[in-house]
Amino acid sequence: MILTVTLNTALDLTYAVPALVPHTSHRVDDVTERPGGKGVNVARVLSALGHETVVTGFAGGATGAVLRELLGALPHRPTDALVTVAGNTRRTLAVVDRSSGDTTQLNEPGPLIGADEWAAFLGTFGELLPGAAAVALCGSLPPGIHVGAYAELVRLARAAGVPVLLDTDGEPLRRGIAARPDVVKPNADELARLTGAREPLRATRDARRRGAHSVVASLGADGLLAVTPDGVWRAAPPTAVRGNPTGAGDSAVAGLLSALAEGLGWQDRLIRAVALSTATVLAPAAGEFDRAAYEDLLTRVAVEQHAPAA
């Protein structure tokens, strides 16, 4: 079983418009509604790949009820182990501009989590860990959760002997990486905020020195850069693609996590991650991927190994 943690789950709404023009009214061409939050998106991809997957975190209020209903209706659905809270689960809105292919994202902050609700989550997390082959800690923290929450969860996973991947930003990332997760997966902006460096290799090496066993940086259309104990790796799709990038990073996490749970090496982990993230850009909504494109890309992603990690 693979466990994903989404402390700030969301109901993801995607609007498609012919062109997004500020200060005007828009007629929406298409609306999609999906259970979301980074770890939920990761779990959806893992389940579609055939992995037994469990989702935990928080869900509450009318929005949380819709999220759980949609989660349960998925054809390949992860097990719902979300902890019910009093507050209302947030919504995220992605507006896709069909003329340019660009996406504008609006994210609500999430419900206020009380001390008793955090304690209930820790109990659930502790019960699930012994059955997990790997765990992903993903996304932002809702209000009320202490900034060292991910560091606490990394330490609990490590104590249980479960490989842990961390995908977050800001101070939760800074503190979480010091707890020595097995893999950290920031994007270029998150890396820059963490390290102060914009050059990808320098920033990725700096992030690894802060405590992570391995760091895999998302570089958008340029693919992934990984600094690991086995060396430095670069992986990229064969060609640039246009589409909705929402959820592409989450699909990369799913690829890394599934390959980690299967005991695959870094080359295969990165091929799977790049193929999934690229296939997600080609799909219409977050948490989905174009399966035909994914299977084709598995044979065409370019991977290069460079010098040993510094």
Side-chain angles (χ1 to χ4, degrees):
M1 177 266 284
I2 299 178
L3 176 63
T4 73
V5 174
T6 312
L7 297 179
N8 211 5
T9 56
L11 182 63
D12 286 341
L13 303 172
T14 302
Y15 289 176
V17 297
L20 183 60
V21 182
H23 315 300
T24 66
S25 297
H26 296 78
R27 184 173 298 277
V28 177
D29 288 344
D30 186 54
V31 179
T32 57
E33 190 176 56
R34 299 288 187 272
K38 293 180 73 65
V40 173
N41 290 337
V42 171
R44 293 182 61 201
V45 174
L46 287 169
S47 295
L49 290 172
H51 289 274
E52 179 187 358
T53 311
V54 176
V55 172
T56 191
F58 299 112
T63 308
V66 174
L67 182 151
R68 299 181 90 155
E69 181 181 350
L70 292 171
L71 192 64
L74 292 172
H76 306 284
R77 58 181 178 272
T79 298
D80 178 352
L82 294 166
V83 174
T84 301
V85 295
N88 200 38
T89 295
R90 68 188 178 128
R91 295 161 297 179
T92 68
L93 176 62
V95 182
V96 179
D97 182 331
R98 291 193 189 278
S99 66
S100 67
D102 292 336
T103 300
T104 299
Q105 190 84 18
L106 302 172
N107 298 329
E108 295 179 358
L112 178 66
I113 305 299
D116 56 337
E117 293 167 335
W118 175 244
F121 166 77
L122 288 177
T124 297
F125 185 70
E127 292 170 1
L128 292 169
L129 269 180
V135 59
L137 309 174
C138 302
S140 62
L141 299 178
I145 297 296
H146 66 94
V147 74
Y150 281 134
E152 181 178 356
L153 299 181
V154 168
R155 287 190 288 267
L156 289 172
R158 287 179 57 83
V162 180
V164 56
L165 182 151
L166 177 62
D167 183 12
T168 188
D169 190 15
E171 192 61 22
L173 172 60
R174 190 179 306 278
R175 298 199 185 193
I177 201 170
R180 305 188 66 79
D182 293 87
V183 182
V184 174
K185 196 218 70 66
N187 60 35
D189 290 337
E190 291 163 350
L191 261 183
R193 285 190 287 269
L194 176 68
T195 67
R198 277 286 175 184
E199 197 284 313
L201 181 57
R202 177 181 175 185
T204 307
R205 281 178 162 154
D206 187 348
R208 183 169 182 261
R209 284 192 288 268
R210 292 168 185 258
H213 190 68
S214 299
V215 177
V216 180
S218 292
L219 304 179
D222 293 329
L224 299 176
L225 169 65
V227 177
T228 79
D230 297 333
V232 176
W233 304 77
R234 292 182 183 268
T239 57
V241 298
R242 291 186 63 185
N244 182 0
T246 305
D250 303 331
S251 290
V253 169
L256 293 170
L257 204 64
S258 63
L260 175 64
E262 294 171 25
L264 301 181
W266 273 107
Q267 178 168 331
D268 291 322
R269 294 183 200 180
L270 295 171
I271 287 173
R272 187 176 295 183
V274 171
L276 276 171
S277 62
T278 305
T280 297
V281 173
L282 297 171
E288 297 182 354
F289 63 94
D290 184 315
R291 186 172 291 274
Y294 165 62
E295 292 175 354
D296 174 63
L297 285 160
L298 284 174
T299 64
R300 300 198 298 124
V301 171
V303 181
E304 297 179 352
Q305 183 178 11
H306 297 275

